[in-house]
Amino acid sequence: MIKKARIVHYLNQFFGGIGGEERADVPPQVRNGPLGPGRAIETMIGDRGEVAGTIVCGDNYFADHEKEALEEIVSLVGAFRPDVFLAGPAFNAGRFGVACGLLCKTVQEKMGIPAVTSMFEESPGVDLFHEDIYIVRSEESVRGMEDAISKMVNLALKLAGKETIGRPSEEGYFPRNLVKNELADRNAAERAVEMILRKV
């Protein structure tokens, strides 16, 4: 694992502490250090990393100015030279979830930086991006904040350190429809006999 992972965190206007729906038109803003859920990220990560910066953008602004917002936010992310990018958790917030997913995918593809987000299974962001990025399962509301952040941090540190990522059921992320070869402790014939015996 790398010595200390530098993280950049993305939040919407609500979790960034700017305001509710009345401030959803706020353009991208950058803050040094952690904000809101980022403080929990920094606490859980301990001396293994730091939240170097937080980028906040209103949900409406991102949705209405997607191309411009993407370009500006990716540029802001790059200025911090992070090892990993985190977005959310978005829970069941549709616009926020889509923004988190799109940003993670774009940062990963354009900058080669691993990215992780988190959202509820019914969020449209899951359907759109689960094959492209790691999306940690969350509860529907903020009551699941601690669990979501814990799993996000765990994945982020593994990705930053280029460690092996376990199965979705082990790490808590949505399946990415990737097929990987694994060594089995028994050959195919033995496994087939066991399957038949279980059915009988």
Side-chain angles (χ1 to χ4, degrees):
M1 184 180 289
I2 62 175
K3 199 167 187 181
K4 193 168 186 178
R6 280 176 63 81
I7 294 170
V8 171
H9 189 206
Y10 174 77
L11 295 170
N12 68 355
Q13 80 283 350
F14 177 76
F15 287 109
I18 293 175
E21 196 63 29
E22 76 283 356
R23 301 300 306 277
D25 292 319
V26 170
Q29 302 179 7
V30 65
R31 301 283 189 275
N32 290 321
L35 283 178
R39 295 189 181 99
I41 290 171
E42 194 152 83
T43 297
M44 288 186 188
I45 213 165
D47 59 3
R48 298 171 295 171
E50 64 173 347
V51 178
T54 305
I55 298 165
V56 182
C57 181
D59 287 330
N60 287 347
Y61 184 91
F62 191 95
D64 294 340
H65 308 85
E66 187 177 286
K67 184 180 177 184
E68 298 92 330
L70 264 178
E71 288 177 359
E72 185 174 354
I73 292 169
V74 168
S75 175
L76 292 171
V77 171
F80 281 99
R81 299 184 179 274
D83 300 300
V84 66
F85 177 73
L86 296 181
F91 304 105
N92 200 24
R95 291 168 303 165
F96 186 27
V98 170
C100 287
L102 186 54
L103 279 166
C104 284
K105 181 181 178 185
T106 305
V107 165
Q108 219 168 236
E109 290 177 350
K110 290 197 171 183
M111 306 180 72
I113 298 169
V116 180
T117 187
S118 174
M119 54 192 88
F120 184 59
E121 62 187 354
E122 293 180 12
S123 170
V126 174
D127 286 336
L128 290 169
F129 302 108
H130 75 277
E131 293 186 356
D132 304 304
I133 59 173
Y134 287 103
I135 304 177
V136 168
R137 290 179 180 272
S138 80
E139 292 187 33
E140 189 171 6
S141 69
V142 294
R143 67 176 176 269
M145 180 73 78
E146 185 176 349
D147 181 62
I149 286 178
S150 175
K151 289 172 182 170
M152 286 174 69
V153 165
N154 180 57
L155 264 180
L157 289 173
K158 285 188 173 184
L159 289 167
K162 297 180 171 36
E163 297 179 32
T164 300
I165 304 299
R167 296 181 179 195
S169 58
E170 297 167 356
E171 306 278 9
Y173 61 89
F174 290 97
R176 298 185 61 192
N177 295 337
L178 299 175
V179 178
K180 293 184 179 180
N181 292 326
E182 290 185 352
L183 286 174
D185 56 353
R186 290 158 298 156
N187 63 37
E190 290 171 327
R191 293 197 308 273
V193 169
E194 183 185 18
M195 286 170 58
I196 291 169
L197 290 174
R198 276 203 308 260
K199 283 190 175 185
V200 172

